[in-house]
Amino acid sequence: MRLKKVGVLLLSAVMTMQLMACAGTSTKGDTKDTITTTEDKTSDDTSIKEDVKEEAKEEVTITIWHQSVTDTDPVKKIIEDSVEDYKKLHPNVTIVQEGVTGEQYKTKIKTAFAAGEAPDISYMFGGGSFVKPYIDAGYLLPIDEYLTSDVKDKILDGMLENCTYNGKIYTFPTITFLANLYCNTEMFEKAGATYPTTWTELLDAVDKLKAAGYNPIILGEKDRWPGMYWFDIISARQVGNPAIMEAFKDPTKFNSEGFVKAAEKMQELVNAGAFNSTMLSMSYDEMVSGFAAGQGAMLFQANWIHPNFENEDAVTNGKVKAIAFPIIEGAAGTATEFSGGSSDGYYINANTKHPKEAYEYLAYLSERIGIEGYEAGAGLPCWDASSVDASKLSPLSQQSAQLMETGTSYITWWDNILSADDSESYKNLVAELLALKITPQEFAEKMSKLQPSELY
Amino acid sequence: MNKILSNKKVLCLFLLPTLLITTLIVVIPIFISFYYSMLDWDGIGKGSFIGLHNYIELVQDTRFLNSVKNSLLFAALSIFIQLPFSLLLAIVVANVSRGEKFYRTAYFIPVIISTVVIGQLWQKIYNGDYGLLNALLDNLGLTNLSQDWLGQEKTALLCSFIPILWQYVGYHMLIMYAGVKSQPPEYLEAALMDGASKVQVAFRITIPLLKPILKVCVTFSLIGALKVFDLIYVLTNGGPFFSTEVPSIYMYTTIFDSYHYGYGSAISIFIILECLLFTVFLGFLFKEKEVL
């Protein structure tokens, strides 16, 4: 009996403490907020002042999930900073950010939407394999009604097209990614190889690099999409971007001479011993860190990897050159056609309680990633970045920006265009092509069986 | 106390919480999965009911059949290689004269290391460029044998099973060790006094007495093998070319990469039924033997 009494006493004591603790935090929070509000009122930006007056009453929390978790990803810091800075601009809005890496993110976001527990804003890849099912299911909010012309004017021409589905705008662009051929200058010099501008020169460089004892091209095909980048660009050089667009609308056109030739070119590289023999067990991460550690002379990847190579600890720091992928002699593609574009962005949940606040933060964040990401070398801006001093950019970012200026047409990564199912098939087919398991003819025939896809 | 426990109402009351939780987090999801498995659904929008079509497609899917074949091979390896090895270790460790505690701990260490760590560790061992295994072969003068172990179809499957077998040897060893240790010493002493050798004692006395424990180990090992996921996911993710794919990996990629939620659910139902069937079968098998 006595024990019971002690138990009851203890329990009630704990409960009272909890109650008090809750009360304590809420009053604390209130006072803190009022302080920041008054601080902001003294700031000289009038627009901010108005905002504060209007919204000071309602406390709003916006949650955002993103994929930028590694320290080499400049976007990670931009998001973290934006959370703090946004609180200063809008004291009543609290942003809660959460990052989840790569493959796990896909799983998490899908489960969250199915369970109705998705965040207000979430990061998505564009295109059929990722964002489209969510839009079709009505999970995401179009932002047309909030979009004002002054925001629109800050976005570079044509960049909003990638954010439009069925005539409605769903997100803002941030930075453009562009795949380049990265060459390790030290290895090229030592091997006496020239930076390839044509296919013959590429094969020649491969031979020379091999003779000098280097691994010519590093490829992490375990994750399958790095190899896909190679076929994306080889077919762009072989048939040209317009023909690729046609083939996406009518996949039977994949079964044509041009694509068979592109597949032959791919196997030509394999047969020349251009890729590392361990490509099938190497992951994307190992590929990038491998190149940074000097395990390969060439790498074809998008410009988001720059920070890895320009890291002070990297062996390759200052020894990497970005060039356009070589052209194929006598083929339709030109050196100004690129793989890439602005394909990913942050999308607003259709069920958000605060669509207006979410939109405002979205616009703020997207512009910040566009400009600061550009400064940090993560990609090229989709927003007017004339305020940025281009000479302060890292050498690779400058080279990449110069290449982009020459660009005449862009096609985003094919797995962003194809449906989820087809993009798996496509990536598997490229892997089989690289392992010489299928012939170019078989490859082209299987590609022709994909579903037609729209281009966004 | 006995009076309370013999009251059926009280018994039911005590079982109720567990029953409720199990129903909520195990039984109901299985039924929901079964319902999903009859849908053509991408997991995001609305699904359409297609009856047993997913199952019909499943039995004709060569990629799926291959994954089942892989998991059965793995189950066989677990039972016929991993368990005998664990048994041997258990008996040896239980009879070792010095350092019993040390060996017991040493063999158990892999079990407590996170799977991802083990995956990374073995990836470095198998690595084709700088892996430990290749370095070893080079040093032995067998350079022509060194290869990209996880990157080739013919070696990847076996190479991805070995770490899992290695990891759980200690786990089964510990269960069997506890079984060996709890056996009454009288039988043993009597046998030794009658002049039996240590090997004879092991085969005639220790192992037969260990049968209930062995049943537990075989069941754990088999079920574990049929639903293995994590280490293969880390090591090869089913590749190259699905050669190391097991049903759980196939289910994961079907649902989360190809967006076929219905088809993936059908695979998950298959895994559940497969495990259930084998468990019942094992129970039956061991019962028969006990009668004999």
Side-chain angles (χ1 to χ4, degrees):
Chain A
M1 265 328 268
R2 229 173 124 200
L3 256 173
K4 209 175 171 187
K5 264 187 185 165
V6 174
V8 170
L9 262 173
L10 262 173
L11 238 163
S12 48
V14 168
M15 280 166 77
T16 353
M17 269 163 74
Q18 276 177 342
L19 272 172
M20 277 158 65
C22 293
T25 41
S26 60
T27 40
K28 237 191 223 162
D30 283 344
T31 42
K32 200 175 143 202
D33 278 349
T34 35
I35 291 166
T36 39
T37 320
T38 41
E39 263 173 16
D40 268 333
K41 273 181 183 161
T42 53
S43 87
D44 31 21
D45 193 331
T46 45
S47 65
I48 295 168
K49 251 192 209 170
E50 278 167 18
D51 275 0
V52 171
K53 270 179 196 161
E54 262 174 51
E55 296 160 19
K57 283 158 205 157
E58 198 196 358
E59 280 291 327
V60 174
T61 305
I62 304 280
T63 47
I64 173 167
W65 287 3
H66 59 88
Q67 236 194 351
S68 306
V69 286
T70 53
D71 285 328
T72 49
D73 185 348
V75 177
K76 180 188 180 214
K77 197 176 172 301
I78 299 172
I79 293 179
E80 285 168 359
D81 289 350
S82 82
V83 170
E84 279 173 39
D85 295 347
Y86 203 72
K87 184 83 193 166
K88 284 177 201 148
L89 294 172
H90 304 267
N92 64 318
V93 183
T94 309
I95 310 288
V96 180
Q97 57 96 11
E98 190 181 337
V100 180
T101 181
E103 290 291 310
Q104 287 93 316
Y105 183 82
K106 275 192 192 171
T107 317
K108 182 168 172 155
I109 196 78
K110 194 167 176 185
T111 324
F113 269 108
E117 286 163 3
D120 298 307
I121 302 176
S122 48
Y123 173 83
M124 300 248 173
F125 301 108
S129 64
F130 203 110
V131 77
K132 194 169 173 285
Y134 293 93
I135 289 176
D136 290 344
Y139 279 138
L140 300 175
L141 187 78
I143 56 172
D144 299 74
E145 66 170 297
Y146 304 104
L147 188 60
T148 49
S149 59
D150 60 319
V151 176
K152 238 180 187 167
D153 290 344
K154 286 195 275 185
I155 299 170
L156 299 184
D157 286 343
M159 289 298 178
L160 269 175
E161 279 167 28
N162 290 318
C163 311
T164 312
Y165 296 83
N166 307 326
K168 284 182 184 155
I169 298 172
Y170 280 86
T171 184
F172 287 116
T174 53
I175 30 192
T176 300
F177 299 118
L178 180 72
N180 301 309
L181 188 65
Y182 293 92
C183 302
N184 185 317
T185 52
E186 194 182 52
M187 292 183 185
F188 268 79
E189 275 162 29
K190 281 192 182 159
T194 47
Y195 300 109
T197 56
T198 65
W199 189 258
T200 329
E201 286 176 18
L202 178 69
L203 289 175
D204 187 50
V206 165
D207 285 343
K208 281 188 177 146
L209 286 161
K210 255 183 98 79
Y214 295 117
N215 168 32
I217 300 169
I218 189 164
L219 177 63
E221 186 58 9
K222 182 187 170 189
D223 292 330
R224 292 171 305 152
W225 59 269
M228 173 190 82
Y229 278 27
W230 277 89
F231 190 78
D232 282 7
I233 193 70
I234 291 178
S235 24
R237 290 292 179 266
Q238 183 68 51
V239 300
N241 277 354
I244 294 176
M245 305 257 200
E246 288 302 310
F248 275 119
K249 285 177 201 148
D250 174 15
T252 56
K253 289 183 180 155
F254 277 120
N255 196 1
S256 62
E257 204 197 334
F259 287 100
V260 173
K261 267 193 178 157
E264 277 168 4
K265 288 273 182 303
M266 192 93 164
Q267 293 197 332
E268 202 177 331
L269 279 182
V270 179
N271 287 325
F275 299 108
N276 45 312
S277 61
T278 53
M279 65 179 168
L280 287 172
S281 63
M282 182 181 272
S283 68
Y284 164 77
D285 290 327
E286 287 171 311
M287 169 180 82
V288 174
S289 55
F291 187 82
Q295 290 172 12
M298 282 183 274
L299 170 74
F300 185 68
Q301 252 303 317
N303 50 356
W304 56 61
I305 48 171
H306 291 169
N308 294 285
F309 305 151
E310 295 181 322
N311 189 327
E312 278 172 23
D313 307 327
V315 178
T316 46
N317 189 13
K319 293 176 193 160
V320 181
K321 186 180 160 81
I323 60 171
F325 196 83
I327 56 155
I328 294 170
E329 296 93 333
T334 62
T336 59
E337 284 162 307
F338 285 100
S339 254
S342 129
S343 56
D344 53 351
Y346 299 82
Y347 291 78
I348 298 178
N349 187 340
N351 293 323
T352 177
K353 283 190 196 119
H354 312 288
K356 190 165 176 289
E357 285 81 4
Y359 162 80
E360 281 165 3
Y361 177 66
L362 175 75
Y364 172 82
L365 178 72
S366 302
E367 184 178 357
R368 236 183 122 155
I369 294 177
I371 291 171
E372 288 180 20
Y374 170 53
E375 284 175 317
L380 301 161
C382 298
W383 296 70
D384 178 15
S386 45
S387 58
V388 176
D389 181 3
S391 64
K392 282 191 183 144
L393 294 173
S394 76
L396 274 180
S397 301
Q398 287 185 29
Q399 289 165 15
S400 189
Q402 279 159 14
L403 284 173
M404 192 181 176
E405 275 170 19
T406 67
T408 50
S409 92
Y410 298 87
I411 287 191
T412 184
W413 332 117
W414 291 16
D415 65 341
N416 276 349
I417 302 170
L418 296 164
S419 73
D421 210 10
D422 281 347
S423 79
E424 287 297 304
S425 310
Y426 168 50
K427 283 184 280 186
N428 288 334
L429 282 173
V430 173
E432 287 178 25
L433 196 64
L434 279 167
L436 306 177
K437 276 175 74 90
I438 49 173
T439 63
Q441 285 77 16
E442 283 165 346
F443 173 84
E445 204 194 312
K446 286 186 177 159
M447 284 297 287
S448 69
K449 302 214 168 94
L450 300 179
Q451 297 295 314
S453 29
E454 301 161 50
L455 285 159
Y456 300 102
Chain B
M1 205 58 188
N2 274 334
K3 229 177 188 177
I4 301 177
L5 281 183
S6 60
N7 185 339
K8 292 232 165 89
K9 277 182 194 160
V10 176
L11 267 181
C12 287
L13 197 71
F14 282 170
L15 284 175
L16 197 67
T18 323
L19 191 71
L20 266 177
I21 292 172
T22 319
T23 316
L24 266 176
I25 64 172
V26 180
V27 182
I28 294 179
I30 289 179
F31 279 101
I32 296 177
S33 285
F34 184 65
Y35 167 67
Y36 287 159
S37 74
M38 292 190 287
L39 298 179
D40 178 18
W41 186 35
D42 63 2
I44 297 165
K46 280 208 167 63
S48 58
F49 190 81
I50 51 166
L52 293 174
H53 182 80
N54 280 332
Y55 291 93
I56 296 166
E57 209 176 310
L58 202 61
V59 291
Q60 295 165 342
D61 183 348
T62 50
R63 189 172 156 193
F64 172 71
L65 294 176
N66 179 52
S67 72
V68 174
K69 197 186 83 195
N70 287 345
S71 76
L72 289 179
L73 175 71
F74 181 49
L77 285 177
S78 299
I79 292 175
F80 296 110
I81 293 179
Q82 183 186 40
L83 290 185
F85 193 66
S86 309
L87 184 62
L88 181 77
L89 277 179
I91 294 174
V92 170
V93 170
N95 286 305
V96 84
S97 49
R98 289 180 67 189
E100 193 177 323
K101 239 183 180 170
F102 167 76
Y103 290 118
R104 206 176 56 197
T105 318
Y107 289 120
F108 195 67
I109 283 176
V111 185
I112 55 168
I113 303 177
S114 135
T115 319
V116 179
V117 175
I118 291 193
Q120 292 293 337
L121 192 81
W122 281 83
Q123 258 178 7
K124 300 294 174 286
I125 292 178
Y126 287 136
N127 190 293
D129 288 326
Y130 52 82
L132 206 62
L133 187 57
N134 281 350
L136 189 76
L137 288 171
D138 287 348
N139 282 332
L140 290 174
L142 299 165
T143 313
N144 50 342
L145 275 184
S146 68
Q147 50 197 296
D148 183 17
W149 297 96
L150 291 174
Q152 300 173 105
E153 286 168 85
K154 56 179 196 287
T155 51
L157 186 64
L158 215 58
C159 287
S160 56
F161 285 163
I162 289 172
I164 319 177
L165 295 175
W166 168 78
Q167 184 183 9
Y168 286 105
V169 158
Y171 177 73
H172 294 293
M173 183 214 73
L174 202 70
I175 300 178
M176 292 174 186
Y177 169 85
V180 172
K181 277 287 171 184
S182 64
Q183 283 173 4
E186 291 84 11
Y187 301 131
L188 245 157
E189 282 161 15
L192 287 173
M193 217 173 270
D194 287 342
S197 70
K198 284 225 164 183
V199 179
Q200 274 175 324
V201 169
F203 276 100
R204 298 288 168 90
I205 296 176
T206 315
I207 295 177
L209 280 177
L210 215 55
K211 198 180 256 175
I213 306 280
L214 287 180
K215 185 191 167 186
V216 172
C217 284
V218 170
T219 315
F220 277 173
S221 178
L222 185 75
I223 304 299
L226 293 179
K227 54 181 200 186
V228 63
F229 175 82
D230 40 9
L231 244 174
I232 294 191
Y233 181 74
V234 176
L235 279 173
T236 63
N237 197 7
F241 312 112
F242 322 126
S243 60
T244 59
E245 202 163 59
V246 288
S248 54
I249 297 260
Y250 187 33
M251 172 189 81
Y252 182 86
T253 46
T254 310
I255 292 181
F256 293 108
D257 292 339
S258 305
Y259 285 28
H260 287 307
Y261 210 107
Y263 196 60
S265 299
I267 302 175
S268 76
I269 293 292
F270 170 85
I271 298 173
I272 293 169
L273 289 179
E274 189 192 22
C275 289
L276 214 64
L277 204 77
F278 273 103
T279 318
V280 171
F281 174 71
L282 276 181
F284 187 69
L285 203 74
F286 273 85
K287 216 176 202 172
E288 288 275 279
K289 276 192 180 162
E290 270 160 28
V291 172
L292 287 169

